[in-house]
Amino acid sequence: STEESDPWWKAFSGVCRDMKLQIKLEIFPAATDSRYIRAVRHPAIGFSPMNRTPVLLHDHNEFLNEQVFLRGIDIYAHLLSALASVPPLPAEA
Amino acid sequence: SEDPSVTLFREYLKIDTVHPKPDYDAAVRFLERVGTDLGLASQKVEVCQGRVVLVLTWQGTNPRLRSILLNSHTDVVPVFEEHWTYPPFEAVKDSQGNIYARGAQDMKCVSIQYLEAIRRLKAEGKSFSRTIHLTFVPDEEVGGHKGMEMFVQRPEFRALNVGFALDEGLASPSDTFSVFYGEKSPWWIKVKCVGSPGHGSRFISNTAAEKLHKVINSFLTFRESEKQRLKSDSSLTLGDVTSLNLTMLEG
């Protein structure tokens, strides 16, 4: 879910807002392992923190810039802090 | 001097997990070593012969809560090495800091970023209520049938008590980051056309070729209309339309 009322999405999007990351919501144009995770009813978001990077998956000369890579670590550190601190959900109380 | 996170990333990129014979053992050994150094618990689940899912765990302070799952796959797709500027499994970094390797985007970067983010949080003395699990799975690039598809049916997966999962996205050439909240469904269609035989000099009626002609036309008309729909509306992305490709013709 990408509703603000969803606690996971609230945590994810809150980090993006705090870090001033512009995000674009999309449907993944191919298939990946998320489909199996979602099929057993767990919410999942597909995210690789690579902006300013040409789309070169499966292509020749696939590369990633080290600064983009390092910023991604910073982004995940914030995302993990927020997601792993989501307060107990009603079902968990 | 290079940031140690980058060095670790390049080390992982040099492990040859390319299809059709990925060196999964080397990848699991490497990732398990990194995880153990970080003080993470490690578990290996062989979902089928030769296909091991590695689970690394950072226990939360309230293990009853649902966990965060950080998933990534260890395999990469093949290369046509003659078209590469640098060898695809040497992880060469050029003067601009671009690291060239098969898997640099899809998706060894993400695996190492998860681990390095945890390294940083642990170094800062942080702890969180929810448990974080990292799963490293084989076989995604060939459909996940001997990887995640089997793993989600295992008791070891249910025991992870997942609340929310992250998995791969895609690069974005602009300033914005792409965030994927769903995915398209692959649908492989095989159409079989049968028709009447007869001498090749005649106008045989009811032929397979005529039927195939109709099928191909209707596929390609649909394909063109979806292609135009994507082109004509800049708010649409590839995930919003149905792509169709005719890949094999036999007979």
Side-chain angles (χ1 to χ4, degrees):
Chain A
S1 167
T2 50
E3 299 290 321
E4 275 305 303
S5 57
D6 180 86
W8 308 112
W9 179 249
K10 196 177 154 198
F12 187 99
S13 58
V15 167
C16 297
R17 212 167 25 245
D18 293 347
M19 295 187 79
K20 299 189 167 50
L21 308 180
Q22 296 177 57
I23 59 171
K24 189 172 178 213
L25 283 173
E26 291 184 50
I27 297 284
F28 198 73
T32 184
D33 282 335
S34 307
R35 70 187 182 281
Y36 302 121
I37 301 174
R38 291 184 181 125
V40 290
R41 300 177 180 281
H42 298 305
I45 289 286
F47 177 62
S48 300
M50 300 184 285
N51 67 346
R52 298 180 194 173
T53 302
V55 181
L56 288 172
L57 75 164
H58 299 204
D59 207 342
H60 318 312
N61 290 322
E62 177 180 353
F63 75 86
L64 184 62
N65 186 273
E66 67 176 332
Q67 296 308 325
V68 175
F69 171 78
L70 289 169
R71 188 170 179 226
I73 295 172
D74 195 33
I75 293 169
Y76 277 121
H78 285 83
L79 283 174
L80 297 189
S81 301
L83 290 167
S85 305
V86 166
L89 311 177
E92 293 172 322
Chain B
S1 70
E2 187 172 78
D3 187 296
S5 310
V6 175
T7 309
L8 195 72
F9 177 35
R10 293 173 68 191
E11 197 182 331
Y12 186 31
L13 289 170
K14 288 176 195 167
I15 298 174
D16 198 346
T17 51
V18 65
H19 281 287
K21 288 235 170 279
D23 190 353
Y24 285 130
D25 288 347
V28 167
R29 269 198 310 273
F30 169 82
L31 294 164
E32 192 175 27
R33 190 199 82 208
V34 176
T36 310
D37 286 349
L38 284 171
L40 304 178
S42 161
Q43 185 193 2
K44 279 175 277 192
V45 182
E46 189 167 27
V47 292
C48 65
Q49 177 89 49
R51 296 289 181 273
V52 170
V53 173
L54 173 68
V55 186
L56 299 176
T57 299
W58 185 10
Q59 189 79 56
T61 55
N62 186 353
R64 291 207 322 272
L65 297 183
R66 288 182 168 256
S67 66
I68 307 301
L69 178 68
L70 308 176
N71 184 58
S72 60
H73 63 81
T74 54
D75 56 326
V76 299
V77 295
V79 292
F80 296 97
E81 193 155 356
E82 64 275 23
H83 295 291
W84 284 66
T85 309
Y86 306 105
F89 294 97
E90 285 185 15
V92 171
K93 184 169 76 173
D94 72 10
S95 57
Q96 285 144 58
N98 293 329
I99 299 160
Y100 288 85
R102 171 60 81 229
Q105 293 189 12
D106 180 13
M107 63 172 297
K108 288 179 172 172
C109 51
V110 170
S111 308
I112 301 299
Q113 284 165 327
Y114 291 153
L115 288 161
E116 290 298 299
I118 288 174
R119 185 193 304 280
R120 182 178 310 177
L121 295 168
K122 282 190 152 235
E124 290 168 356
K126 301 267 174 64
S127 65
F128 304 106
S129 55
R130 292 183 188 274
T131 295
I132 296 173
H133 295 291
L134 297 92
T135 46
F136 301 92
V137 301
D139 255 41
E140 188 273 346
E141 297 293 4
V142 287
H145 307 303
K146 292 179 173 176
M148 190 49 103
E149 186 175 19
M150 295 186 108
F151 184 54
V152 296
Q153 300 302 332
R154 297 278 299 218
E156 294 92 338
F157 177 81
R158 282 191 282 278
L160 301 182
N161 191 25
V162 174
F164 178 78
L166 289 178
D167 200 348
E168 69 179 328
L170 294 171
S172 153
S174 70
D175 270 354
T176 57
F177 293 86
S178 299
V179 173
F180 299 93
Y181 62 97
E183 64 191 276
K184 294 202 328 195
S185 302
W187 191 19
W188 296 86
I189 305 173
K190 189 170 182 174
V191 180
K192 212 169 181 172
C193 296
V194 292
S196 310
H199 193 275
S201 65
R202 300 172 57 230
F203 289 106
I204 302 156
S205 58
N206 194 32
T207 60
E210 288 166 295
K211 293 177 187 173
L212 184 65
H213 185 139
K214 275 193 179 169
V215 171
I216 291 178
N217 274 350
S218 102
F219 278 8
L220 294 186
T221 304
F222 174 75
R223 183 186 199 271
E224 187 60 25
S225 73
E226 288 295 289
K227 191 175 152 191
Q228 290 308 324
R229 190 158 77 85
L230 175 63
K231 218 169 126 183
S232 64
D233 183 347
S234 61
S235 73
L236 294 181
T237 64
L238 191 53
D240 297 315
V241 298
T242 305
S243 50
L244 186 152
N245 285 289
L246 175 68
T247 55
M248 259 186 271
L249 202 54
E250 302 171 71

